[in-house]
């Protein structure tokens, strides 16, 4: 069949060349229209359920809202984990589905389960909402607005009602969350004395406000000729309209209006969040991208929408900051960097081909396999709906040298045969030369692809990252084989049959002569080869066990996320003051471009924090090196350390998202503490945090759930209530109205919705000691201070209560450097086991990147074992001899030891990327061994050579050129990645390239010296 395919292509060389050109053009078109992103979707399918519970404390939210929601979704089909946080006024439940679940189907399952919960929730609690589905990286763009002319309320109105709707309409935007400013509402501030003088209660005012405004359809009138609509207008559009609305009064008494007992004013609603932009109070809009959206296209769409709005906004005295966080910058830098590495590698490969072949036509025939193979891979990946990201491009970059190998081997053999062909027809010479190497090339390429299958089969986070890389590599390698079979022979016939082919370069002739001398010595002492193979195996195994392990390295995004928290109960104003000072200090650091702070939470936002917690986003100037970014990170730590009393943490944004997908926490190491009593969990958490802080490398240790915050408790006295004729509901409603405010109605102005809330005067809401003085008037007419019917006292309560799997938990986190995570985790586990005595019923678990690293390594090793069995089976089919297979595999450890040495010399850790590099290196080494053994068999079986040292030497000598060329082109293909390791976009592929580069040195030595010696020592029986 192979002969028929090659013969068919040689009979139609111009048709094949034209087809190759069409494929190139189509590939370029697909690449131009492909979806680009920084990483594949790595967060499993999940749904986030937020339930607003105004006025409820964290304990009340947990019991009355969170637990019913958890119970409803826990049994849903496909649910892998359920986590929750309950804070004052809000419940958030995160449902994580099993890997491979359809995210849209998962959300449908959750929505159906929530239908049963709504009826069981307390009055005043909003219906649960499933937040919009977003991409793994989530953030699309953060835009800040500041103004010296507009008030915080007017600025919030502008962003909320003008900017946000336009940006939400941009393609690819899933969510637009607004922080900061003041949310406008109409407040009906009741005057207790006037209310008592008219014998009215708060319930009367709330009822009057509800009827003060409304929207209702009026129907229509049909006349003989037309239908005329009736449009009633009864909205109270201003504070004066609401104040003029009547209140119930005594019979025959003068009418009473709301304005007689309350002040109706435009005011700001209760603050739950705040924003500081470049050191100034402002409004921040945080945009999230849709699941599967093209991040670059979505960013450009948002920026185009902002450009439309910008003139009108700036005319009102508002400054817009669009560079606070723009993940598209990292995408462009990462993709551009890897694309640059691809181009540089391709140019270097072309130079090597010219140095070896000294003929531009020969170089062109070999080189064309690179764009054809890579663009074919792009076409296939796009057809499967995968994005072009740093992982797929990294797979293509690593495959760069491999994809040209097939063509190089083919062209080298064709050129060698054409030089010695004499008057034989060129087409027949090309056919026979191609067929001579075709079978071994197919088997070698198949082995290279098969060793990457274990990476393709990875699950979880590691699979999300590395499967696209493996897929890109395998598809490109398979495409290179197809090019070598179908395209290379006819191109060689067209370009090489009528041109002068220069002799072999003199340096190559001298290298072969030197190699023959070295080979003769090695074959004369084959025992040394055996010792070398055994020693390489030991060194490889030992080296791999000694290295530090890490799942993924630090990412050079040019952006840092700073988690900053004050003591529990810290106000928004205090955190804003901290933020203004910290921002000024951050902007003084050379290399920092912008900084913003978001405090607390916003309606519908992904961060559900109390007022004491905040997050800074620090954007760096473009094109900073990895070392510069590390230096800036150290300076950021210094700035935060200069503010005592704050809990701080410094992360990259992607590190934050990856950690959250592994453990639900943003840190690299999370110690979960589980039990039935929250106070006990808090005490254990404090002990564990103290132990963790002593572990070297465990930085940013913090207790995630603050234990206590000041609260004013109101315990009703039921006997006193009965004495005054008050019901518990009347008292509780009065407290809520006075301090939280009761939204009684809404008014609509153009596109805006404004709440009308009944509440107490501001001076009554500022003194905790005055809560007991609140005047309560019930339906019975009794008016008494709150302290007469309840015990009012200061106490401590919880700001947040966390669950996982329905279990109460406390979490202690730390953020060691990626290369230290494994070591720090082991040290922390040992220290906690030795120094912390867990109470009965309390237990801990350890999650984070260290656990992910172990799981990934175990899965990869298991997959490799399966793939190795498949490789052996393929080799047995190819050679039909177990001894030949053993010789091929024996040289592999010698190739791997070079990778181990490269990791040791560069001081790198054994990341998952490095392990993938070792897997790739094994395939490359096996490929060279297959070609050498198969050529030796060809000389004996087809050309009739006898089994002798001279035949082994000839087989090796004739493989020197292709082995050196393939080793050099593979090395030069990954050299730019290795040099740029740690830079944006090369964080994962760089360690792979270093391993491959180091291994190619020893694998070439193994193929040309060690393997021939082993063949001479052990291969005689197989060849006899």
């Amino acid at each position: 069949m192979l002969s028929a395919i090659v013969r068919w292509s040689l009979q139609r060389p111009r048709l094949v060349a034209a087809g190759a050109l069409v494929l190139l053009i189509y590939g370029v078109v697909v690449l131009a229209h492909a979806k680009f992103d920084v990483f594949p979707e790595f967060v499993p399918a999940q749904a986030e359920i937020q339930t607003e519970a105004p006025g409820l404390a964290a304990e009340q939210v947990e019991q009355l809202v969170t637990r019913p929601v958890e119970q409803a979704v826990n049994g849903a089909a496909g649910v892998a984990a359920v986590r929750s946080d309950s804070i004052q006024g809000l419940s958030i439940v995160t449902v994580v589905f099993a890997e491979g679940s359809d995210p849209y189907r998962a959300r449908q399952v959750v929505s159906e389960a929530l239908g049963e919960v709504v009826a069981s929730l307390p009055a005043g609690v909003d219906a649960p909402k499933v937040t919009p589905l977003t991409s793994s990286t989530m953030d699309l763009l953060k835009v800040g607005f500041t103004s010296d002319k507009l008030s915080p309320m007017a600025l919030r109105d502008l962003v909320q009602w003008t900017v946000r709707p336009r940006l939400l309409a941009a393609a690819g935007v899933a969510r637009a969350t607004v922080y900061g400013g003041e949310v406008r509402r109409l407040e009906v501030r009741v005057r207790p004395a006037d209310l008592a003088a008219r014998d009215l209660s708060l319930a009367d005012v709330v009822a009057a406000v509800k009827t003060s405004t409304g929207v209702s359809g009026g129907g229509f009138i049909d006349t003989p000729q037309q239908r005329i609509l009736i449009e009633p207008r009864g909205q109270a559009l201003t504070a004066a309209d609401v104040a003029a609305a009547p209140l119930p009064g005594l019979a025959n008494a003068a009418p009473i209006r709301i304005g007689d007992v309350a002040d109706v004013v435009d005011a700001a609603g209760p603050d739950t969040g705040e924003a500081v932009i470049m050191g100034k109070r402002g409004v921040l809009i945080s945009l999230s991208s849709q699941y599967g959206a093209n991040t670059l296209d979505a960013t450009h769409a948002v920026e185009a929408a902002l450009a439309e709005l910008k003139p009108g906004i700036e005319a009102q005295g508002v400054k817009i900051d669009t560079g606070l966080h723009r993940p598209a910058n990292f995408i462009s830098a990462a993709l551009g960097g890897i694309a640059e590495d691809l181009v540089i590698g391709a140019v270097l490969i072309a130079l090597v081909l010219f140095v070896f072949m000294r003929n531009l036509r020969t170089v062109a025939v070999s080189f064309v396999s690179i764009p054809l193979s890579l663009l074919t891979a792009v076409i296939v990946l796009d057809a499967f709906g995968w994005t072009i990201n740093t992982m797929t491009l990294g797979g293509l970059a690593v495959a760069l040298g491999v994809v040209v190998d097939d063509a190089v081997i083919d062209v080298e053999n064709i050129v060698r045969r054409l030089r010695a062909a004499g008057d034989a027809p060129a087409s027949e010479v090309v056919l026979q030369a191609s067929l001579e190497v075709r079978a071994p090339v197919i088997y070698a390429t198949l082995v290279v692809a098969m060793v990457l299958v274990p990476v393709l089969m990875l699950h979880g986070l590691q699979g999300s990252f590395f499967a696209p890389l493996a897929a890109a590599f395998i598809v490109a390698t398979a495409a290179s084989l197809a090019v070598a079979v179908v395209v290379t022979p006819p191109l060689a016939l067209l370009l090489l049959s009528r041109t002068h082919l220069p002799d072999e370069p003199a340096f190559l002739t001298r290298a072969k002569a030197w190699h023959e001398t070295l080979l003769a010595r090695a074959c004369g002492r084959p025992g040394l080869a055996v010792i070398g193979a055994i020693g390489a195996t030991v060194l490889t195994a030992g080296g791999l066990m000694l290295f530090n392990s890490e799942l993924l390295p630090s990412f050079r995004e040019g952006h840092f996320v700073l988690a900053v928290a004050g003591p529990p109960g810290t106000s928004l104003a205090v955190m804003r003051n901290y933020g203004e000072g910290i921002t000024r200090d951050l902007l003084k650091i050379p290399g920092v471009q912008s900084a913003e702070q978001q405090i607390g939470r916003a309606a519908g936002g992904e961060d559900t924090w109390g007022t004491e917690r905040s997050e800074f986003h620090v954007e760096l100037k473009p094109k900073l090196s990895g070392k510069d970014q590390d230096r800036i990170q150290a300076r950021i730590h210094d700035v935060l350390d200069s503010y005592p009393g704050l809990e701080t943490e410094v992360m990259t944004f992607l590190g934050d998202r990856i950690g959250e997908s592994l453990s639900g926490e943003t840190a690299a190491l999370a110690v979960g503490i589980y039990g039935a009593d929250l106070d006990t969990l808090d005490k254990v958490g404090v002990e564990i945090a103290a132990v963790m802080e002593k572990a070297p490398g465990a930085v940013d240790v913090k207790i995630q759930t603050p234990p206590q915050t000041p609260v004013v408790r109101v315990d009703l006295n039921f006997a006193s209530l009965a004495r005054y004729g008050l019901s518990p509901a009347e008292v509780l409603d009065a407290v809520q109205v006075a301090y939280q405010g009761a939204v009684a109605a809404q008014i609509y102005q153009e596109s805006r919705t404004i709440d009308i809330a009944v509440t107490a005067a501001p001076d009554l809401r500022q003194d905790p000691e005055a809560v007991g003085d609140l005047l309560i008037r019930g339906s019975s007419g009794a008016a008494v201070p709150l302290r007469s019917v309840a015990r009012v006292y200061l106490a401590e309560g919880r700001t947040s209560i966390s669950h996982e799997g329905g279990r109460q938990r406390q979490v202690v986190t730390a953020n060691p450097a990626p290369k230290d995570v494994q070591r720090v985790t082991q040290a922390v586990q040992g220290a906690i086991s030795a120094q912390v005595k867990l109470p009965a019923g309390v237990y801990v678990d350890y999650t984070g990147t260290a656990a992910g690293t172990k799981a990934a390594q175990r899965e990869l090793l298991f997959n490799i074992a399966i793939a190795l069995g498949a490789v052996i089976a393929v080799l047995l089919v190819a050679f039909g001899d177990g001894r030949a297979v053993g010789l091929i595999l024996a040289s592999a450890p010698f190739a791997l030891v070079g990778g181990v040495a490269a990791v040791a010399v560069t001081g790198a850790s054994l990341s998952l990327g490095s392990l993938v590099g070792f897997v790739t290196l094994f395939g490359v080494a096996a490929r060279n061994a297959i070609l050498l053994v198969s050529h030796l068999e060809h000389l004996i079986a087809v050309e009739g050579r006898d089994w002798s040292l001279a035949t082994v030497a000839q087989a090796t000598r004739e493989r020197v050129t292709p082995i050196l060329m393939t080793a050099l082109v593979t090395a030069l293909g990954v050299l730019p990645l290795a040099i740029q390791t740690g830079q944006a976009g090369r964080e994962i592929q760089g360690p792979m390239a270093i391993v491959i580069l180091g291994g190619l040195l020893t694998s070439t030595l193994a193929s040309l010296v060690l393997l021939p010696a082993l063949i001479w020592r052990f291969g005689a029986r197989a060849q006899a």
Side-chain angles (χ1 to χ4, degrees):
M1 182 178 177
L2 283 175
S3 176
I5 294 174
V6 177
R7 192 179 299 277
W8 181 90
S9 66
L10 286 172
Q11 291 171 351
R12 301 165 181 82
R14 288 178 175 78
L15 177 62
V16 172
L21 180 60
V22 170
L23 181 62
L24 280 174
I25 295 172
Y26 180 65
V28 171
V29 172
V30 171
L31 181 62
H33 294 86
K35 292 190 296 183
F36 292 89
D37 213 330
V38 61
F39 285 127
E41 292 288 349
F42 57 85
V43 174
Q46 59 185 27
E48 192 174 89
I49 306 161
Q50 293 190 9
T51 309
E52 294 279 353
L56 297 186
E59 291 95 334
Q60 294 172 313
V61 171
E62 181 212 18
Q63 292 293 331
L64 302 176
V65 182
T66 300
R67 288 193 180 276
V69 173
E70 283 182 338
Q71 291 165 8
V73 300
N74 257 326
V79 171
V82 176
R83 295 188 289 264
S84 70
D85 285 291
S86 304
I87 66 172
Q88 191 273 329
L90 179 69
S91 162
I92 181 165
V93 178
T94 302
V95 185
V96 182
F97 285 81
E99 184 179 358
S101 299
D102 178 4
Y104 300 101
R105 172 59 182 156
R107 292 166 63 81
Q108 180 63 30
V109 169
V110 168
S111 298
E112 292 173 357
L114 290 177
E116 305 173 1
V117 179
V118 176
S120 64
L121 296 178
V125 174
D126 296 345
K129 295 179 181 178
V130 181
T131 59
L133 183 62
T134 60
S135 65
S136 295
T137 48
M138 190 180 296
D139 268 14
L140 181 65
L141 195 67
K142 291 185 184 294
V143 186
F145 300 84
T146 54
S147 177
D148 294 328
K149 294 183 178 180
L150 297 184
S151 67
M153 186 181 295
L155 183 60
R156 174 67 182 236
D157 282 347
L158 177 66
V159 175
Q160 182 77 37
W161 302 111
T162 301
V163 177
R164 182 175 180 270
R166 178 63 186 92
L167 299 188
L168 272 175
V173 176
R175 176 169 57 193
T177 306
V178 182
Y179 291 85
E182 294 176 348
V183 179
R184 183 185 302 274
R185 72 174 182 177
L186 284 180
E187 283 191 354
V188 179
R189 297 174 175 174
V190 177
R191 299 189 294 270
D194 291 337
L195 202 65
R198 288 166 173 79
D199 201 24
L200 295 171
S201 67
L202 283 173
D204 294 326
V205 178
V206 172
V209 172
K210 286 182 179 180
T211 60
S212 67
T213 184
V215 177
S216 176
F220 56 87
I221 297 173
D222 279 333
T223 69
Q225 286 78 29
Q226 64 184 134
R227 172 170 290 184
I228 301 174
L229 302 180
I230 299 175
E231 183 184 352
R233 295 190 176 186
Q235 275 208 91
L237 298 179
T238 66
D241 293 339
V242 176
L247 277 163
L250 298 174
N252 302 320
I256 304 173
R257 301 172 303 133
I258 292 176
D260 295 330
V261 297
D263 298 315
V264 184
V265 296
D266 275 311
D271 289 334
T272 58
E274 184 61 278
V276 175
I277 314 297
M278 298 292 285
K280 294 179 61 177
R281 185 181 183 186
V283 175
L284 174 76
I285 185 165
S286 178
L287 299 158
S288 301
S289 56
Q290 293 174 357
Y291 181 84
N294 185 323
T295 303
L296 290 178
D297 287 350
T299 302
H300 294 153
V302 169
E303 289 172 339
L306 278 171
E308 294 175 9
L309 298 171
K310 190 173 182 179
I313 293 174
E314 290 184 341
Q316 299 181 56
V318 177
K319 180 183 178 183
I320 305 175
D321 287 296
T322 58
L324 301 176
H325 186 203
R326 188 179 186 270
N329 292 340
F330 180 47
I331 296 173
S332 299
L335 297 182
I338 294 185
E340 179 183 318
D341 293 343
L342 276 166
V343 172
I344 294 174
V347 171
L348 292 175
I349 288 172
L351 290 175
V352 169
L353 293 176
F354 183 77
V355 168
F356 274 80
M357 297 179 176
R358 298 194 302 168
N359 183 281
L360 288 177
R361 292 191 174 194
T362 308
V363 172
V365 174
S366 301
F367 188 81
V368 74
S369 65
I370 293 178
L372 278 175
S373 302
L374 299 187
L375 288 174
T376 299
V378 169
I379 292 170
V380 173
L381 294 174
D382 185 73
F384 278 95
W386 290 12
T387 61
I388 304 301
N389 52 64
T390 55
M391 300 309 296
T392 52
L393 281 182
L396 298 180
V398 172
L400 185 62
V402 177
V403 299
V404 78
D405 285 357
D406 290 345
V408 165
I409 293 167
D410 203 6
V411 171
E412 190 275 337
N413 204 49
I414 290 172
V415 169
R416 185 165 58 86
R417 294 301 185 187
L418 284 174
R419 285 178 183 146
D423 296 330
S427 60
E428 192 62 29
V429 174
V430 172
L431 174 63
Q432 296 304 320
S434 296
L435 293 178
E436 177 184 337
V437 297
R438 188 53 51 228
V441 164
I442 289 175
Y443 287 122
T445 304
L446 185 59
V447 167
V448 171
M450 288 177 64
V451 297
L452 263 293
V453 170
V455 182
L456 189 64
M457 294 168 58
L458 287 172
H459 295 86
L461 178 73
Q462 55 271 17
S464 299
F465 270 92
F466 285 95
L469 183 148
F473 184 96
I474 291 171
V475 173
T477 304
S480 73
L481 178 59
V483 170
V485 171
V486 178
V487 179
T488 302
L491 285 182
L493 180 62
L494 285 173
L495 297 178
L496 304 182
S497 60
R498 298 179 183 178
T499 187
H500 171 69
L501 296 174
D503 294 332
E504 192 173 68
F507 79 89
L508 199 54
T509 303
R510 290 193 296 271
K512 287 183 177 180
W514 176 81
H515 170 258
E516 285 184 9
T517 303
L518 182 63
L519 183 61
R521 293 177 181 175
C523 291
R525 305 177 68 181
L528 292 179
V530 175
I531 295 173
I534 296 173
T537 303
V538 173
L539 285 173
T540 299
L544 292 176
M545 294 176 64
L546 292 176
F547 293 129
N548 287 333
S549 297
E550 63 180 6
L551 180 62
L552 295 170
S554 297
F555 293 100
R556 312 297 187 187
E557 306 167 49
H559 187 90
F560 290 109
V561 179
L562 285 54
V564 177
T570 303
S571 68
L572 287 173
V574 170
M575 291 305 298
R576 184 174 64 242
N577 290 336
Y578 273 124
E580 291 170 354
I582 291 172
T583 301
R584 285 193 296 268
D585 293 342
L586 291 174
L587 292 175
K588 293 177 184 177
I589 300 175
V592 172
Q593 179 171 283
S594 66
E596 59 88 1
Q597 179 196 27
Q598 52 199 58
I599 311 169
R601 67 182 182 91
E606 67 273 10
D607 295 322
T608 53
W609 297 335
T611 57
E612 75 281 352
R613 293 184 64 181
S614 70
E615 183 176 86
F616 288 80
H617 282 261
V618 179
E619 185 80 3
L620 307 186
K621 293 179 179 178
K623 298 182 180 179
L624 291 176
S625 67
K627 289 184 178 179
D628 287 337
Q629 295 189 37
D630 291 341
R631 173 186 55 79
I632 292 172
Q633 186 174 7
R635 290 286 301 275
I636 290 174
H637 275 289
D638 293 340
V639 168
L640 295 180
D641 290 343
S642 67
Y643 288 83
L646 296 178
E647 285 190 345
T648 61
E649 189 176 9
V650 181
M651 305 158 285
T652 63
F653 179 73
L654 285 172
D656 175 357
R657 293 293 296 145
I658 290 168
E660 195 168 5
S661 69
L662 286 170
S663 63
E665 302 295 334
T666 58
L669 169 60
V671 182
I673 311 161
Y674 301 89
D677 181 64
L678 289 172
D679 292 333
T680 303
L681 297 185
D682 291 341
K683 292 177 182 178
V684 174
V686 170
E687 293 180 35
I688 288 178
V691 171
M692 290 174 64
E693 286 176 344
K694 298 176 183 177
V699 298
D700 296 337
V701 176
K702 60 187 295 188
I703 299 175
Q704 288 294 329
T705 306
Q708 301 292 334
T709 186
V711 297
V712 175
R713 288 256 165 83
V714 178
D715 295 338
L716 299 185
N717 185 317
F718 291 91
S720 299
L721 289 175
R723 185 181 315 121
Y724 291 103
L726 294 171
S727 68
E730 289 173 327
V731 178
L732 295 176
D733 288 346
V735 173
Q736 182 183 30
V737 168
Y739 294 100
Q740 173 68 28
V743 177
Q746 289 180 323
I747 60 175
Y748 308 94
Q749 296 179 352
E750 299 174 350
S751 60
R752 306 182 184 187
T753 302
I754 300 175
D755 291 337
I756 306 178
V758 180
T759 185
D763 55 345
L764 296 179
R765 305 199 302 260
Q766 294 177 353
D767 183 5
E769 301 291 342
V771 173
D773 298 330
L774 177 67
L775 197 62
I776 307 295
R777 186 177 186 85
S779 56
S780 65
V784 295
L786 178 61
R787 68 177 72 258
S788 298
V789 293
R791 181 186 173 213
V792 183
Y793 59 98
L794 288 172
E796 290 188 332
R798 298 187 176 276
T799 59
S800 175
I801 300 173
S802 178
H803 289 180
E804 181 169 359
R807 305 163 296 174
Q808 292 178 329
R809 72 167 183 167
Q810 178 62 275
V811 184
V812 184
T813 62
N815 238 350
K819 64 180 181 179
D820 296 329
V821 169
Q822 196 82 20
R823 176 185 57 78
V824 171
T825 300
Q826 292 175 351
V828 165
Q829 286 179 327
I832 291 174
S833 298
Q835 301 176 37
V836 178
K837 181 176 176 57
L838 298 177
V842 175
Y843 61 97
V844 300
D845 67 6
Y846 302 87
T847 55
T849 55
T853 301
K854 286 185 177 180
Q857 289 175 345
R858 285 195 300 267
E859 184 180 13
L860 184 60
L861 291 175
F862 178 77
N863 292 347
I864 288 173
I866 296 175
L868 185 60
V871 167
I872 293 172
V874 169
L875 294 177
L876 286 173
V877 171
F879 294 97
D881 177 31
R883 182 170 294 219
V885 175
L887 289 171
I888 291 171
L889 297 179
S891 62
F894 204 80
L896 300 183
V897 76
V900 172
V903 174
V905 169
T906 57
S909 298
L910 190 63
S911 66
L912 194 56
S914 301
L915 288 178
V916 174
F918 281 109
V919 172
T920 308
L921 186 58
F922 175 85
V924 173
R927 178 196 192 100
N928 286 339
I930 290 170
L931 293 172
L932 178 57
V933 172
S934 63
H935 188 56
L936 177 61
E937 287 190 346
H938 175 82
L939 290 178
I940 295 173
V942 178
E943 299 188 15
R945 305 299 172 86
D946 59 344
W947 170 253
S948 64
L949 181 58
T951 303
V952 173
Q954 179 185 348
T956 308
R957 183 174 62 253
E958 292 178 353
R959 290 291 94 194
V960 166
T961 300
I963 286 176
L964 285 179
M965 288 178 66
T966 55
L968 275 172
V969 297
T970 303
L972 292 175
V974 300
L975 181 62
L977 279 176
I979 292 175
Q980 296 287 339
T981 185
Q983 302 304 317
R986 292 90 155 189
E987 299 94 338
I988 294 175
Q989 295 86 348
M992 289 178 57
I994 288 174
V995 168
I996 294 172
L997 201 59
L1000 283 172
L1001 296 174
T1002 52
S1003 71
T1004 303
L1005 182 63
S1007 299
L1008 295 178
V1009 180
L1010 177 71
L1011 181 58
L1014 292 175
I1015 290 174
W1016 177 240
R1017 171 65 181 81
F1018 296 104
R1021 188 178 303 171
Q1023 303 298 332

